[in-house]
Amino acid sequence: MNSQTLPYTRRDTLRLAALALAASVASCATPPARLSNTPASDQTASALPLVNALRAKNGLPPLKIDTAASTAAVYQARRMADAGKMEHLIGIGDDFGKRVKASGVKLPAAENIAEGQRDVNAAVTAWINSPKHLHNMLGKYDGIGVALAYAPSSGSKPYWSMVLSTD
């Protein structure tokens, strides 16, 4: 058989494969279209006394509510809920620094995430019991934002995000 009798040439097949690969990569980097409709709430006021008590026990100054950090935390909690997974980086090209700076957070900054905890006490306790998250909460930060979002696609599973910021 020659290539003219086949419905697709080898070159056509390679082009289709390249297009399929490009489409799958692009879909990983695309943020969810309905991000803003995901139920989410700012939990900073509830988390702040818990984190500040921890910092006081360790001889550290208290944090204050940072509205930019709260905005960044709400955004990240919604992203995780939309994706249905607990991850700092969601999609190809995601960048923590760029993401939080877009919310007005000054760097350096840190982020703690969690999933499944039903209330702020449980989320903060989970972070305290995790050495890396505890290190962040005891770091040289001035501000905090904490948020909770629910994943409608997974039976309203809770996703938590904490952003720690500097002045």
Side-chain angles (χ1 to χ4, degrees), residues 7-23:
Y8 297 104
T9 66
R10 195 173 291 173
R11 182 175 286 167
D12 290 332
T13 303
L14 288 173
R15 283 184 189 142
L16 287 172
L19 286 172
L21 177 62

Side-chain angles (χ1 to χ4, degrees), residues 72-84:
V74 166
Y75 181 70
Q76 178 62 10
R78 281 183 169 151
R79 284 168 23 104
M80 292 187 301
D82 284 344

Side-chain angles (χ1 to χ4, degrees), residues 76-155:
Q76 178 62 10
R78 281 183 169 151
R79 284 168 23 104
M80 292 187 301
D82 284 344
K85 58 186 172 182
M86 182 186 74
E87 290 187 17
H88 292 280
L89 303 176
I90 299 172
I92 295 173
D94 194 4
D95 181 283
F96 168 73
K98 289 179 183 175
R99 177 167 40 85
V100 297
K101 280 174 64 176
S103 295
V105 175
K106 294 178 184 171
L107 299 179
E111 179 177 74
N112 289 348
I113 58 175
E115 70 177 331
Q117 293 78 11
R118 294 290 169 192
D119 60 44
V120 71
N121 290 323
V124 172
T125 298
W127 289 323
I128 290 170
N129 291 328
S130 165
K132 288 182 181 180
H133 294 113
L134 176 62
H135 177 78
N136 285 344
M137 291 187 293
L138 298 177
K140 294 183 179 184
Y141 299 107
D142 307 301
I144 186 172
V146 178
L148 165 65
Y150 293 97
S153 63
S154 65

Side-chain angles (χ1 to χ4, degrees), residues 148-165:
L148 165 65
Y150 293 97
S153 63
S154 65
S156 295
K157 184 177 193 176
Y159 287 87
W160 294 86
S161 177
M162 172 189 286
V163 174
L164 298 149
S165 62

